[in-house]
Amino acid sequence: MTADRLVHRLVRTRATLRPDAIAVEEGQVRLTYGQLNSRADRLAARLRAEGVGPDQLVAVCLDRSAELVIAMLAILKTGGAYVPLDADYPAQRLAFILADTRARWVLTNRELAPFLPAEAGLGVVYTDEEEDPSPNGPTNDVDTDVASGNLAYVIYTSGSTGAPKGVAVQHSAVTWLVDNIDYLRVDEQECIALASSPAFDAVTFEIWAALVHGARIAVVPREVLLTPHQFGPELRRLKVSILYLTAALLYEMSTEAPDFAKDLQALVFGGQVADPAGVMRVLDASAPHRLIQVYGPTETTVWSSWHLVHPLDGNLASIPLGTPITNTSEHILDEELRPTPVDVPGEIYIGGDGVTRGYLHRPALTASRFVPDPFGTGRLYRTGDRACLRADGSVEFLGRTDRQVKMRGFRIELGEIETALTAHPGIIAAVVEPDPRPERQQLVAYIVPVGPPPGSGELRAFLGQTLPGYMQPGIFIRLPKLPLAPNGKLDRGALPAPDAASRFVAPKESILGIRRSHHRQGHS
């Protein structure tokens, strides 16, 4: 990869070739490629004056917006790396991330600055205080001597120890993800929706895949994501052609407005196991040109494999993980790093150009998860995901290797119970967790029924057909919907305690992973 193939330079090339083409649309704001590049240059010059350079981290606390796109592009132009923050995170979590990154600067605006914890020595650069705010004001092109191995961004994920961990992603991995896309068409005629939380790694695809290929970014308003029946019409009004959703959000949309995706060139979904019935509802009602499931962890740069969904997938227990994308390898290996035979479970290991540097400031953890590739050069990432290769060549996801609990002397894989529960025709979603009360040695099953909810006796009898007695949940809690975090994934911390189940009502904001409109007004 040459130095010119870095994403911010590819965007600059687009701005040179088509300066008047629309790059970002947010409400009444429409930034052309020329304006976007110019404003990013001005902000980059301010950051350079502050001392930002290669491999230096700049936190970004901004909403999903045109302002966010400018900020990220500006940071890359300086050679620095951005660290996306979500202002809705608890203050303690934000303080931990800022301390862990050792960032010296944060980019934000006057509205969001009060939500940041006070950090000694942290320089605040306000994006809404440009020296020359005019879209076409004077500018000099900013281009720092940065290599493909330098950091582009650091994004934080939850950690098994309870503290978040930062995944350090280099420029070459970002370019790999968005420059040579082999599973859908992205060109100057396309429009990609910016619909993910800024702190969710899918934003990497939404922003850079669009800008690298000269496409348009359309920012989806927050209130639209809260109203499924408005979502489809808004996508059509914005002329969105490519959309990414988490599997959980796809299910919500498929239930309340299954035709939301009609007229899309591609609907891409992933982030967790998808319910085949919900996916089929979208395929039947919306029929986007391409309905694609993607799979891959943050540590291999957003996603690493894809599967084009077709009607026959509705007859399967799960949607296949598909095939690796360009310059990626995926292996299902046993504990000795040997390929497992057909139908024998193993752990998924991923190699190729998307494998990231590892975890920021955590060399021991990096060494344990990023291992030498026994089949070639480079490293493989141990995903912790269990899967097996089927006789037809498909790869079936089987759950996590690290979601085990020990109950009454037995090791239990919680994902296996969840899979068994969702096989019941009366259940559309299920989560199993150990009872949080230490004196209660039992499992708690959270279920989302369809139609009249099945009783506990019926469920125990059903599970008894496939599971031993020690894997039977002691409590079944019915929920209207599973609570989701801001990134659209399951929020396990929001699951109700067993003794509070009767009082639990899932708010719409929690379901869709969007903050309430009055949330900030009540923040102190």
Side-chain angles (χ1 to χ4, degrees), residues 487-522:
N487 63 8
K489 295 185 178 181
L490 175 68
D491 185 358
R492 296 182 184 278
L495 291 169
D499 59 354
S502 61
R503 299 193 301 273
F504 178 75
V505 178
K508 174 66 73 174
E509 293 84 356
S510 174
I511 292 168
L512 291 179
I514 305 298
R515 66 170 63 90
R516 299 182 184 185
S517 60
H518 59 79
H519 177 78
R520 289 198 178 117
Q521 298 173 4

Side-chain angles (χ1 to χ4, degrees), residues 6 8 63 182 228 237 256 281 305 335-336 347 371 392 395 399 428 476 479 519 522:
L6 305 185
H8 60 286
D63 280 331
D182 62 351
R237 186 188 71 80
E256 301 191 32
R281 279 197 295 274
S305 66
E335 294 180 355
E336 303 298 325
E347 183 175 356
V371 301
D392 62 359
V395 176
I428 58 175
F476 294 88
L479 301 178
H519 177 78

Side-chain angles (χ1 to χ4, degrees), residues 362-374:
R362 298 192 183 186
L365 181 60
T366 298
S368 69
R369 303 303 297 182
F370 294 80
V371 301
D373 185 349

Side-chain angles (χ1 to χ4, degrees), residues 94-106:
L94 290 174
F96 174 88
I97 293 174
L98 289 170
D100 191 60
T101 60
R102 306 170 193 170
R104 293 166 51 197
W105 308 273
V106 60

Side-chain angles (χ1 to χ4, degrees), residues 58 66 74 92 159 189 265 268 289 312 315 361-362 365 375 433 507 518:
V58 181
Q92 184 176 359
Q189 306 304 314
Q265 187 255 120
V268 184
H289 182 65
L312 292 179
N315 300 321
H361 307 316
R362 298 192 183 186
L365 181 60
F375 310 105
E433 294 287 333
H518 59 79

Side-chain angles (χ1 to χ4, degrees), residues 40-234:
D41 276 330
R42 288 198 297 273
L43 182 55
R46 292 172 59 197
L47 293 173
R48 285 288 301 278
E50 293 283 338
V52 179
D55 269 11
Q56 293 182 317
L57 302 184
V58 181
V60 178
C61 186
L62 292 168
D63 280 331
R64 184 176 63 250
S65 60
E67 189 178 29
L68 175 72
V69 179
I70 294 168
M72 290 181 170
L73 180 57
I75 292 170
L76 294 186
K77 283 173 173 282
T78 68
Y82 57 85
V83 183
L85 303 177
D86 191 323
D88 279 348
Y89 282 167
Q92 184 176 359
R93 186 178 183 90
L94 290 174
F96 174 88
I97 293 174
L98 289 170
D100 191 60
T101 60
R102 306 170 193 170
R104 293 166 51 197
W105 308 273
V106 60
L107 264 176
T108 188
N109 56 32
R110 292 292 181 181
E111 178 189 1
L112 296 178
F115 296 89
L116 293 170
E119 294 291 324
L122 188 66
V124 179
V125 178
Y126 293 102
T127 57
D128 47 0
E129 288 187 356
E130 290 191 63
E131 294 180 4
D132 183 354
S134 61
N136 295 304
T139 183
N140 293 314
D141 184 70
V142 176
D143 191 2
T144 305
D145 186 15
V146 61
S148 61
N150 284 116
L151 282 180
Y153 67 89
V154 174
I155 193 164
Y156 275 75
T157 65
S158 60
S160 58
T161 62
K165 56 184 184 293
V167 179
V169 184
Q170 69 276 17
H171 275 268
S172 60
V174 181
T175 306
W176 157 83
L177 176 73
V178 302
D179 193 21
N180 296 301
I181 301 173
D182 62 351
Y183 48 91
L184 75 157
R185 183 187 75 243
V186 183
D187 57 29
E188 297 172 355
Q189 306 304 314
E190 305 302 334
C191 174
I192 299 181
L194 179 51
S196 297
S197 162
F200 185 36
D201 64 356
V203 165
T204 308
F205 172 82
E206 293 173 335
I207 291 177
W208 303 122
L211 298 182
V212 161
H213 294 280
R216 177 170 55 93
I217 297 172
V219 180
V220 178
R222 181 190 312 138
E223 59 273 15
V224 171
L225 288 173
L226 290 170
T227 314
H229 289 287
Q230 293 181 10
F231 191 54
E234 180 68 5

Side-chain angles (χ1 to χ4, degrees), residues 26 40 59 82 238 241 292 312 319 485:
E26 179 198 2
Y82 57 85
L238 293 171
S241 59
I292 300 170
L312 292 179
I319 306 296

